[in-house]
């Protein structure tokens, strides 16, 4: 049996990002988190870095290496989402000054050096926020593209359309130029869009199951989810809100929970009206090259079974 899969989580915590980090850290036999790199997105990078460290403390994993990354998109001003995640970016549980240290190296340098030091094709990148760090690393060190096993990212939308504008999903919208670099890189990509994550709702019964674990990590996570879902419940009128980012990790752990198809995906970077839109040729009406496995189907109950079981191990 192969050893645990080596990953770098690139993230903008973010309550749903924190859920993804907990799922990964609760699965040490299958996943080896080489490092967590933070990026500006939901909140500025100083806060996403603090929140990543707090999440490692909650997870009883103060050994995890956390690196702060880019503080703004490649070309544009930063757009944040405090209206969803709260002023801290991790509203819900009582927060504290984390003990998990912040590493001195920049996130982009850590990504480049790790990919150069690890065997080619053995490291998976798991972006959960804007793609600024990833695109900056690829631009600064083109040699790493051929060394990346796969990029499994949460971002984009097609039939579900946008959540930050009528056309765009937040992670892509924050840095569309970065997304264009990644989707044109030729690196194998698995794209987990809103079309999938909007089927993964934090129904009360599901959240209650996690809370019933009655451990510090589980209580912290459910406090986060209770806060995080309120915005989407009002917006979509649903029972619970979509839980986006942990689907990236769940896909690595149990890919059979998911379904989709190879497609061409292009990023709108010119039009202000549709900036950041992921134009997915789902019906194959063009001869554009397939550059991403776009996922659409998910066994949501199976996902929550997995999340609950692994958070229970922390
Ligand atoms: O659009 C949802 C995505 O944007 C999630 O990754 C959420 O954490 C925010 O980053
Ligand atoms: Ca995120």
């Amino acid at each position: 049996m192969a050893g645990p899969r080596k990953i770098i989580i690139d993230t903008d915590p973010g309550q749903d990002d924190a859920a993804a980090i907990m799922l990964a850290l609760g699965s040490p036999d299958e996943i080896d988190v080489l490092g967590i790199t933070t990026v500006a997105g939901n909140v500025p990078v100083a806060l996403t870095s603090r929140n990543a460290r707090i999440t490692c403390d909650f997870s009883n994993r103060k050994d995890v290496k956390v690196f702060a990354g880019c503080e703004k998109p490649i070309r544009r001003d930063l757009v944040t989402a405090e209206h969803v995640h709260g002023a801290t970016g991790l509203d819900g549980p009582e927060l504290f000054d984390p003990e998990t240290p912040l590493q001195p190296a920049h996130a982009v340098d850590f990504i480049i050096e790790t990919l150069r030091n690890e065997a080619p094709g053995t490291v998976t990148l798991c972006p959960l926020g804007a793609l600024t760090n990833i695109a900056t690393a690829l631009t600064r060190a083109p040699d790493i593209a051929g060394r990346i096993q796969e990029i499994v990212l949460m971002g984009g939308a097609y039939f579900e359309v946008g959540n930050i504008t009528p056309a765009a999903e937040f992670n892509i919208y924050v840095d569309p130029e970065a997304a264009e670099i990644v989707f044109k890189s030729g690196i194998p990509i698995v794209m987990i869009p809103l079309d999938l994550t909007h089927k993964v709702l934090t129904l009360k019964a599901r959240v209650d199951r996690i809370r019933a674990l009655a451990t510090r990590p589980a209580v912290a996570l459910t406090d986060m989810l209770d806060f995080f879902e309120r915005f989407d419940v009002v917006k979509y009128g649903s029972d619970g809100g979509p839980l986006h980012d942990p689907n990236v990790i769940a896909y690595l752990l149990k890919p059979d929970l998911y379904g989709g198809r190879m497609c061409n995906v292009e990023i709108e970077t010119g039009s202000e009206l549709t900036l950041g839109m992921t134009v997915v040729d789902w019906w194959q009406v063009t001869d554009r090259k397939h550059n991403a496995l776009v996922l659409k189907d998910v066994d949501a109950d199976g996902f929550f079974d997995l999340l609950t079981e692994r958070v229970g191990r922390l």
Side-chain angles (χ1 to χ4, degrees):
M1 175 187 159
R5 183 159 181 172
K6 294 182 284 188
I7 73 170
I8 295 173
I9 299 175
D10 190 74
T11 179
D12 64 337
Q15 291 86 351
D16 60 317
D17 302 68
I21 292 168
M22 287 187 170
L23 178 54
L25 297 181
S27 309
D29 294 340
E30 297 114 307
I31 290 180
D32 177 4
V33 180
L34 300 180
I36 294 176
T37 52
T38 63
V39 68
N42 285 321
V43 286
V45 71
L47 280 176
T48 59
S49 303
R50 182 175 187 268
N51 295 339
R53 295 164 58 208
I54 288 174
T55 303
C56 291
D57 281 27
F58 273 134
S59 305
N60 301 309
R61 285 294 307 276
K62 298 172 185 175
D63 61 297
V64 175
K65 292 185 170 37
V66 178
F67 301 83
C70 296
E71 58 189 26
K72 69 176 294 292
I74 287 176
R75 262 192 45 203
R76 299 174 186 274
D77 294 335
L78 177 63
V79 171
T80 53
E82 287 88 350
H83 60 291
V84 177
H85 298 271
T88 70
L90 207 63
D91 282 24
E94 186 175 335
L95 302 181
F96 47 85
D97 289 337
E99 294 182 17
T100 300
L102 184 66
Q103 299 299 315
H106 189 282
V108 172
D109 293 329
F110 170 74
I111 291 168
I112 293 169
E113 286 163 23
T114 300
L115 286 165
R116 285 176 172 164
N117 293 337
E118 296 290 338
T122 64
V123 178
T124 296
L125 302 185
C126 299
L128 310 177
L131 290 163
T132 313
N133 287 340
I134 312 301
T136 302
L138 289 170
T139 304
R140 194 184 298 170
D143 61 289
I144 66 172
R147 302 179 69 92
I148 298 168
Q149 179 177 9
E150 192 169 50
I151 295 176
V152 184
L153 64 87
M154 191 278 141
Y158 46 106
F159 299 118
E160 192 67 21
V161 294
N163 61 356
I164 188 71
T165 74
E169 177 279 327
F170 181 78
N171 288 340
I172 307 299
Y173 180 73
V174 169
D175 198 340
E177 282 74 20
E180 183 174 53
I181 289 168
V182 171
F183 278 86
K184 287 188 171 174
S185 66
I187 298 164
I189 293 172
V190 178
M191 170 178 158
I192 298 180
L194 295 180
D195 303 79
L196 184 148
T197 64
H198 281 200
K199 299 172 184 173
V200 185
L201 298 178
T202 57
L203 306 180
K204 185 177 183 314
R206 290 167 171 169
V207 177
D208 287 348
R209 268 182 68 198
I210 298 173
R211 186 177 288 109
L213 293 170
T215 62
R216 184 181 181 230
V219 171
L221 177 57
T222 51
D223 287 348
M224 289 180 202
L225 298 183
D226 287 347
F227 180 89
F228 175 63
E229 74 175 23
R230 84 211 184 293
F231 176 78
D232 287 305
V233 164
V234 169
K235 179 176 177 179
Y236 296 107
S238 51
D239 170 8
L243 189 49
H244 307 288
D245 292 340
N247 286 285
V248 167
I249 305 302
Y251 173 77
L252 297 180
L253 291 168
K254 288 197 170 182
D256 293 347
L257 294 175
Y258 297 89
R261 67 173 69 157
M262 286 301 297
C263 293
N264 173 265
V265 179
E266 308 246 343
I267 312 296
E268 177 59 65
T269 57
S271 157
E272 284 306 311
L273 177 64
T274 55
L275 184 68
M277 182 176 187
T278 46
V279 180
V280 179
D281 187 6
W282 181 259
W283 300 116
Q284 322 282 331
V285 296
T286 75
D287 59 358
R288 293 175 194 156
K289 183 172 177 298
H290 292 171
N291 59 338
L293 172 60
V294 179
L295 298 181
K296 174 172 174 277
D297 300 315
V298 55
D299 172 353
D301 286 326
F303 165 83
F304 277 99
D305 289 348
L306 178 64
L307 178 64
T308 305
E309 192 263 327
R310 295 305 163 91
V311 170
R313 294 187 190 181
L314 290 173

